[in-house]
Amino acid sequence: MDQAEQLRNIIKANNHASRPAARVLTVTSGKGGVGKSNTSINLAIQFRKMGQRVIILDADFGLANIEIMFGALPKYNLSDLIYEGKNIKEIITKGPMGVGFISGGSGVAGLSNLTQDNIHCIVQSLAELDSLADVVIVDTGAGISDAVMEFLVASGEILLVTTPEPTSITDSYSLLKALSRHPRYSREDTKIKMVANKVQKKGDGAELYKKLNVVVEKYLETPMEYLGEVPEDSQLMKAVMQQKPVSMEDPYAKSALAYKEIVTKLVNKEITETVKRRGMAAFFSHFFNGKR
């Protein structure tokens, strides 16, 4: 039995387990500084307010944005699970309102060097997240690095954070272009949803979406949906300085209400669209299928 077949058997065994699959949302952006990690955190808080169990996987290696914004220092990270024998619960740090987060460390960056035993361990362990969370939010690095692309091609739902800045728009297009040309990207199995961040006035987000979507449809033939807009908000910046999510610090701030509206739309879309949940075992299987 070759390695690929062994991996398929691991995934099949997890798929046949009784636990339901978590919904995996991958949050990304074409460039840094657009509010991607802030979006991940505040969406997580809003999901918690709706009674969902949420875990964030901080896959922005080396920057540790999530733990800084949460004001919490993780004892262990994903590398400790892979190389030090820690279990999945040991590497989950509790953040505000019981949101869990996993620091990626350098663990996933070295996936191509994993042994078959390592692969078996990580797939089995991360599959346990399906019983620990209803929603897993993967916060990727910014840009179009190989590591970011690996996460995106493994994702059933991608949330692309863009701002009205011309560089953000062009970088978002570049990211979608790279994704559309990836050999393992599936248009049929991937939903891309754009979030317009730091808009000046109501309706600017929809205009930004139209501007980007017209070239995406014409040149990339990649379907993209508009999820909503988050306004420029001084209350959000104040919360960031205090290392607290604005959705907790000031629930009625303009940005917090916008995040609430986006999560409500995500929940409603899952009901009306019957979004297929892949779960974390299937999510990570894409990494290994592409590397073996």
Side-chain angles (χ1 to χ4, degrees):
M1 184 185 297
D2 64 15
Q3 291 177 328
E5 187 175 352
Q6 289 180 38
L7 176 60
R8 284 192 292 270
N9 289 338
I10 295 169
I11 303 304
K12 190 181 296 182
N14 280 291
N15 287 341
H16 288 162
S18 59
R19 60 177 173 263
R23 184 178 187 179
V24 182
L25 300 170
T26 302
V27 182
T28 194
S29 64
K31 67 186 291 290
V34 302
K36 172 181 56 61
S37 294
N38 232 322
T39 298
S40 296
I41 288 172
N42 281 285
L43 294 183
I45 294 297
Q46 295 295 344
F47 272 116
R48 281 293 298 134
K49 288 184 176 184
M50 296 184 73
Q52 305 265 345
R53 298 168 301 160
V54 189
I55 292 174
I56 301 175
L57 171 59
D58 188 353
D60 195 353
F61 306 119
L63 294 182
N65 286 335
I66 301 297
E67 59 197 67
I68 291 171
M69 292 180 183
F70 269 173
L73 185 65
K75 188 174 182 180
Y76 302 113
N77 59 38
L78 193 58
S79 294
D80 294 302
L81 181 144
I82 300 170
Y83 303 111
E84 302 299 329
K86 300 300 178 182
N87 65 49
I88 191 70
K89 291 183 179 179
E90 288 179 296
I91 69 167
I92 298 174
T93 302
K94 286 296 181 183
M97 278 188 67
V99 172
F101 76 94
I102 298 172
S103 173
S106 59
V108 181
L111 284 181
S112 58
N113 300 318
L114 296 180
T115 65
Q116 189 64 27
D117 286 342
N118 290 146
I119 291 174
H120 189 281
C121 170
I122 191 173
V123 172
Q124 293 280 24
S125 297
L126 289 168
E128 292 182 41
L129 291 178
D130 289 334
S131 64
L132 300 175
D134 302 303
V135 179
V136 177
I137 296 176
V138 180
D139 185 55
T140 76
I144 56 175
S145 68
D146 289 343
V148 170
M149 286 297 115
E150 289 296 329
F151 278 107
L152 298 185
V153 297
S155 302
E157 288 185 87
I158 297 171
L159 273 54
L160 174 64
V161 182
T162 310
T163 73
E165 292 181 8
T167 52
S168 177
I169 299 171
T170 55
D171 288 341
S172 292
Y173 176 78
S174 296
L175 182 145
L176 293 176
K177 182 178 179 181
L179 177 62
S180 69
R181 293 182 174 181
H182 195 284
R184 287 187 289 117
Y185 169 64
S186 170
R187 287 178 175 81
E188 294 74 23
D189 298 328
T190 309
K191 291 186 178 294
I192 301 172
K193 301 171 182 181
M194 197 202 86
V195 174
N197 198 27
K198 301 183 181 181
V199 302
Q200 294 299 317
K201 63 180 187 294
K202 192 171 180 62
D204 282 357
E207 288 301 314
L208 172 58
Y209 166 75
K210 290 177 184 176
K211 187 182 298 184
L212 178 59
N213 193 51
V214 68
V215 291
V216 169
E217 281 190 339
K218 182 176 181 180
Y219 296 108
L220 305 182
E221 299 179 352
T222 297
M224 183 172 67
E225 303 172 26
Y226 177 56
L227 193 54
E229 65 184 14
V230 180
E232 187 82 63
D233 186 7
S234 60
Q235 295 304 109
L236 185 147
M237 295 311 301
K238 187 182 296 183
V240 169
M241 295 303 293
Q242 295 174 349
Q243 290 182 279
K244 296 179 180 178
V246 70
S247 293
M248 284 182 61
E249 186 70 3
D250 190 353
Y252 295 101
K254 294 183 297 181
S255 53
L257 293 173
Y259 289 124
K260 180 180 180 180
E261 187 174 332
I262 288 171
V263 166
T264 300
K265 189 179 292 186
L266 282 168
V267 170
N268 290 339
K269 275 182 173 291
E270 184 177 33
I271 295 169
T272 58
E273 296 177 355
T274 59
V275 174
K276 182 181 179 182
R277 295 188 173 200
R278 293 184 181 178
M280 288 305 291
F283 180 89
F284 270 90
S285 76
H286 283 257
F287 285 93
F288 307 124
N289 282 332
K291 294 176 182 297
R292 296 292 169 181

